[in-house]
Amino acid sequence: SVTGVQTCALPIYDLWTWTQLSACLGAVLFMVSDLAIAVNKFCFPLPYSRAIIMATYYAAQMLIALSAVECQDAEVARKIA
């Protein structure tokens, strides 16, 4: 999650790749999921908390996995060329 947030802090003039964007969004969604868990557990009950937590968690997993697959595909393409 920390690496994804560090990716979000890249200067605006750098071009974003799909890998960086998906890693950043995945990290942010993990934080939203954890925030929803904390608020629901320690502050007040959130309506539809289970759906919010699981939707953001699975979306974060998918985006981070997608960023890893894209990284490996780019490395393989560089080795072949």
Side-chain angles (χ1 to χ4, degrees):
S1 191
V2 172
T3 304
V5 173
Q6 288 174 346
T7 302
C8 295
L10 290 175
I12 195 76
Y13 56 85
D14 284 343
L15 294 177
W16 282 71
T17 63
W18 286 107
T19 304
Q20 292 170 334
L21 184 61
S22 61
C24 177
L25 290 175
V28 170
L29 284 175
F30 263 127
M31 288 190 290
V32 170
S33 175
D34 288 346
L35 177 66
I37 292 169
V39 167
N40 190 48
K41 181 90 173 166
F42 300 114
C43 295
F44 54 87
L46 283 175
Y48 306 107
S49 63
R50 190 174 190 124
I52 292 169
I53 292 166
M54 294 312 290
T56 55
Y57 176 78
Y58 284 127
Q61 287 280 1
M62 182 192 68
L63 288 168
I64 291 173
L66 179 64
S67 73
V69 169
E70 286 186 36
C71 284
Q72 290 176 358
D73 286 345
E75 290 175 13
V76 169
R78 262 187 260 135
K79 287 179 183 177
I80 293 174

